């Protein structure tokens, strides 16, 4: 502290310029030493003492003076002292408030490398995590000034120019980081084209490349930046860098950057056209890269396939080189390649025509083989998840469903029902639901799998994984809808599954509500005698009343609920049985059905239906409500 005080006392405007520069240089050396010494407790005190001294007024005066060649060295020293002070967070805003920003920007375009470098350092340090500094640069229309400076320095071979290019990129990074306004302004002024030009002209300068890519990452945080990246030629340059076998750190940075840029559809399409995916495949198949880098490259590859246009380009009617490579990976002896191949095929299987072609060309056998060989405690859950995701997509086209069933997809899936990994179970249920949709025989077969149904009922209660819980109840509803079988319904009753269907009827998702109501209507139509006790215990009557009272329920859904009500009340009042029928009945069924009906009637449902019949705005709802009311009144009178 004493050294700083002594130097500051000597720094006077009356001193010769050379002497002033010498003292400023000594101050710079002192501040640098303090900045580098993490244990120095006097850091803030020394920095603040300099900041509060008259020396800062002298620095500002020099920076405001007309530039002359004899003062360039002194001005560079002034800027450097500001740059070192700005490394202290608490001094950044005071430097802005003292009016340094306009003067520093004024010297940024200097042809003197030292002056341009130090003014740029000062600006960059002040703007680091400092919105006030960024606003000050913006107020002076600084973006064009900075970019113009970088443009002029791109081909400069003068000593110090290489370092200056790095510092300018760093300034741009600090200026735009987490600041969408300045990111957009930089994009409008062509920053990505300029950064791309800078990188491509200095491919061997890894320090510059690193800094420029960090800046690109900042600029492309916003959607506008991602879209602009695909127009700038950056993807071609990034491909070139990957092909040059750069350092691991640089490769990771490029892949991380691509991960963000590939959120843009134009970027995906360009990546499918410019050969970037081939470069990614080279990384993926490398024996020397770490699993983490390979995973990053794989993720970028899949993100390209997520785009519709890019996927179609790479599929190329089933002849695309990268599509064929994906198929080949399915036969690899390495799990990560089989996983990637499965994920890739799953993305190609997003169009019905491609799904049909894939099945016709024998892809099922490969996928089923992977699934059957990847079971047990040592199994790769990631691989299971990937294969199941692909099988679900392949099962969507109606024409494929019987083919998947015939190939043994359902049987292969059932070998995984004891998995404790909920992400795998979720995909497993998705495959099975697609397989039985519209397929009576498949629904009948699955509905006879007692062990599966027991697991299904358990999954319907998994609170820790909402996806599994929802998918399980949807599979249960689908089993009822597609089989319409008393035997299947009886199996669901034994598995204690009906309570979940009743609960599903009040789901927050309308689609699931409707699926549950339709399944319950079928159950009440074909097997109410067997299901009545379970439905009563599950609270069917209060559920129906809740749904009918829901003011925002769409008319179509209200009509379906009324159909369910009709199915319950109509079935609860069977006609007088014939002698043969009496022999087939237990004698308890009519009483059970009657008890359920009476509970529904006493719950207030009749009054709610009457209200709908009289006052609902939809004519079709009124008609259905009247019909339901007639049936209920008739059943009460005959009860």
């Amino acid at each position: 502290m004493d050294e700083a005080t002594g130097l500051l006392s000597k720094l006077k405007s009356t001193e010769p310029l050379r002497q002033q520069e010498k003292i400023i240089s000594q101050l710079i050396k002192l501040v640098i030493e303090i900045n580098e010494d993490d244990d120095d407790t006097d850091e803030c005190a020394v920095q603040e003492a300099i900041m509060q001294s008259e020396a800062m007024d002298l620095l500002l005066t020099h920076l405001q003076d007309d530039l002359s060649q004899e003062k360039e060295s002194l001005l560079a020293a002034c800027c450097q002292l500001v740059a070192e002070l700005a490394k202290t967070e608490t001094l950044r805003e005071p430097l802005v408030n003292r009016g340094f920003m306009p003067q520093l920007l004024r010297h940024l375009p200097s042809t003197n490398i030292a002056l341009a470098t130090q003014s740029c350092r000062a600006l960059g340090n002040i703007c680091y995590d400092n919105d006030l500094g960024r606003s000050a640069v913006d107020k002076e229309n600084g973006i064009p000034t900075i970019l113009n400076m970088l443009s002029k320095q791109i081909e400069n071979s003068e000593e110090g120019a290489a370092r200056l290019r790095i510092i300018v990129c760093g300034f741009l990074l600090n200026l735009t980081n987490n600041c969408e306004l300045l990111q957009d302004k930089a994009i409008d002024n062509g920053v990505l084209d300029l950064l791309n030009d800078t990188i491509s002209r200095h491919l061997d300068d890894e320090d510059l490349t690193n800094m420029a890519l960090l800046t690109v990452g900042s600029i492309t945080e916003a959607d506008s930046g991602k879209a602009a990246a695909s127009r700038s030629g950056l993807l071609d340059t990034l491909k070139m860098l990957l092909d040059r076998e750069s350092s691991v750190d640089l490769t990771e940075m490029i892949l991380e950057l691509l991960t963000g840029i590939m959120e843009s559809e134009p970027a995906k399409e360009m990546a499918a056209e410019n050969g970037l995916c081939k470069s990614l495949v080279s990384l993926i198949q490398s024996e020397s890269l770490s699993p983490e880098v390979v995973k990053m490259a794989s993720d970028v590859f899949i993100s390209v396939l997520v785009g519709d246009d890019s996927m179609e380009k790479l599929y190329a009617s089933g002849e695309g080189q990268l599509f064929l490579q994906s198929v080949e990976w399915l036969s690899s002896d390495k799990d990560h390649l089989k996983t990637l191949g499965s994920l890739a095929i799953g993305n190609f299987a997003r169009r019905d025509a491609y799904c049909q072609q894939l099945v016709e060309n024998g892809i099922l056998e490969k996928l089923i083989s992977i699934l059957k060989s990847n079971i047990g405690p040592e199994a790769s859950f990631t691989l299971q998840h990937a294969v199941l995701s692909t099988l679900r997509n392949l099962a969507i086209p109606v024409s494929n469903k019987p083919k998947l069933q015939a190939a043994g997809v359902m049987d292969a899936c059932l070998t995984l029902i004891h998995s404790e990994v909920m992400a795998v179970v979720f995909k497993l249920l998705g495959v099975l639901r697609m397989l039985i949709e519209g397929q009576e025989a498949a629904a009948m077969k699955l509905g006879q799998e007692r062990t599966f149904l027991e697991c299904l009922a358990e999954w319907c209660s998994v609170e820790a994984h909402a996806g599994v819980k929802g998918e399980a109840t949807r599979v249960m509803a689908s089993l009822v809808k597609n089989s319409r079988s008393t035997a299947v319904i009886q199996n669901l009753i034994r598995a204690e599954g009906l309570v979940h269907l009743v609960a599903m009827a009040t789901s927050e998702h309308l689609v699931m509500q409707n699926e549950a109501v339709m399944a319950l209507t079928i159950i009440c139509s074909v097997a109410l005698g067997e299901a009545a006790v379970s439905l009563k215990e599950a609270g069917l009557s209060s559920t129906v009343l809740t749904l009918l009272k829901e003011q925002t329920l769409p008319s179509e859904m209200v009509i379906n609920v009324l159909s369910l009500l009709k199915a319950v009340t109509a079935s609860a009042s069977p006609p007088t049985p014939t002698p043969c029928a009496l022999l087939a009945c237990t004698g308890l069924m009519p009483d059970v059905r009657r008890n359920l009906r009476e509970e529904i009637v006493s719950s207030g449902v009749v009054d709610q239906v009457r209200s709908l019949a009289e006052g609902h705005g939809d004519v079709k709802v009124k008609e259905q409500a009247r019909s339901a009311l007639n049936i209920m009144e008739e059943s009460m009178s005959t009860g």
Side-chain angles (χ1 to χ4, degrees), residues 433-632:
R433 185 164 64 85
M434 288 297 104
L435 278 178
I436 64 176
E437 183 61 37
Q439 304 297 307
E440 182 181 355
M444 286 291 297
K445 174 179 169 57
L446 187 61
Q448 301 298 323
E449 297 286 344
R450 298 284 185 87
T451 304
F452 166 73
L453 295 181
E454 290 171 1
C455 292
L456 186 65
E458 291 180 9
W459 292 327
C460 288
S461 301
V462 177
E463 298 296 339
H465 197 297
V468 167
K469 181 178 180 180
E471 195 68 27
T473 51
R474 294 190 75 185
V475 170
M476 192 173 288
S478 188
L479 281 170
V480 174
K481 182 185 77 171
N482 291 292
S483 70
R484 293 181 176 268
S485 163
T486 302
V488 171
I489 293 170
Q490 287 173 336
N491 288 338
L492 290 175
I493 294 170
R494 293 189 188 97
E496 300 182 354
L498 298 198
V499 64
H500 303 297
L501 285 177
V502 173
M504 181 184 174
T506 53
S507 165
E508 61 183 17
H509 303 292
L510 188 61
V511 170
M512 292 178 63
Q513 278 188 326
N514 199 46
E515 289 176 357
V517 168
M518 291 178 66
L520 290 168
T521 302
I522 294 170
I523 290 171
C524 292
S525 298
V526 304
L528 184 60
E530 294 86 345
V533 173
S534 295
L535 293 174
K536 186 175 184 295
E537 292 175 350
L540 179 63
S541 59
S542 61
T543 297
V544 170
L545 182 59
T546 298
L547 289 170
L548 293 177
K549 285 183 175 181
E550 177 57 59
Q551 298 293 321
T552 61
L553 205 64
S555 296
E556 295 79 3
M557 183 66 181
V558 177
I559 291 171
N560 289 342
V561 175
L562 290 169
S563 295
L564 167 59
L565 189 57
K566 288 167 64 176
V568 175
T569 52
S571 297
S573 299
T576 303
T578 62
C580 292
L582 281 172
L583 292 175
C585 292
T586 63
L588 295 176
M589 293 300 182
D591 289 338
V592 172
R593 293 194 293 262
R594 188 176 299 110
N595 288 341
L596 178 61
R597 179 200 67 190
E598 290 173 353
E599 180 177 88
I600 287 177
V601 170
S602 63
S603 69
V605 166
V606 175
D607 292 337
Q608 188 62 34
V609 173
R610 184 175 290 108
S611 176
L612 293 173
E614 295 172 355
H616 199 280
D618 190 301
V619 174
K620 292 182 179 178
V621 171
K622 284 184 175 182
E623 291 176 353
Q624 186 77 332
R626 290 193 201 100
S627 175
L629 191 61
N630 291 336
I631 291 175
M632 285 190 292

Side-chain angles (χ1 to χ4, degrees), residues 84-118:
E84 303 307 332
L85 291 172
K87 289 182 178 179
T88 301
E89 182 180 357
T90 57
L91 299 186
R92 291 171 196 153
E93 289 193 2
L95 285 168
V96 177
N97 293 330
R98 290 284 289 267
F100 276 93
M101 302 304 279
Q103 306 311 320
L104 292 169
L105 281 165
R106 179 167 165 260
H107 295 291
L108 196 59
S110 173
T111 56
N112 181 287
I113 292 292
L115 178 54
T117 297
Q118 296 305 330

Side-chain angles (χ1 to χ4, degrees), residues 220-231:
T220 55
E221 284 178 353
D223 290 341
S224 57
K226 293 178 177 63
S230 63
R231 301 191 299 267

Side-chain angles (χ1 to χ4, degrees), residues 49 67-68 73 77 96 107 120 127 161 238 291 303 319 371 377 495 501 521 530 538 612 619 631:
L67 181 63
S68 59
S73 179
V96 177
H107 295 291
C120 192
C127 288
L238 295 176
S303 69
E319 300 295 330
L371 214 53
L501 285 177
T521 302
E530 294 86 345
L612 293 173
V619 174
I631 291 175

Side-chain angles (χ1 to χ4, degrees), residues 123-137:
L123 287 162
N125 288 349
I126 291 172
C127 288
Y128 178 73
D129 199 22
N130 179 14
D131 289 338
L132 187 66
R134 293 167 182 160
S135 297
V137 172

Side-chain angles (χ1 to χ4, degrees), residues 356-461:
Q356 293 160 358
Q357 189 174 359
L358 286 165
V359 169
E360 289 169 1
N361 291 339
I363 205 73
L364 288 178
E365 289 74 11
K366 296 178 182 292
L367 294 170
I368 292 173
S369 175
I370 292 173
L371 214 53
K372 288 183 175 180
S373 62
N374 187 49
I375 297 174
E378 302 300 320
S380 167
F381 303 129
T382 305
L383 178 54
Q384 290 176 344
H385 188 275
V387 172
L388 291 170
S389 297
T390 301
L391 288 172
R392 181 191 181 282
N393 284 0
L394 292 172
I396 292 174
V398 175
S399 61
N400 272 3
K401 297 179 191 292
K403 296 177 182 178
L404 266 68
Q405 181 67 2
V409 169
M410 181 181 290
D411 294 333
C413 287
L414 290 176
T415 62
L416 300 176
I417 61 174
H418 296 296
S419 174
E420 296 181 359
V421 180
M422 289 298 100
V424 171
V425 172
F426 178 70
K427 290 298 180 181
L428 168 68
L429 290 168
V431 178
L432 294 174
R433 185 164 64 85
M434 288 297 104
L435 278 178
I436 64 176
E437 183 61 37
Q439 304 297 307
E440 182 181 355
M444 286 291 297
K445 174 179 169 57
L446 187 61
Q448 301 298 323
E449 297 286 344
R450 298 284 185 87
T451 304
F452 166 73
L453 295 181
E454 290 171 1
C455 292
L456 186 65
E458 291 180 9
W459 292 327
C460 288
S461 301

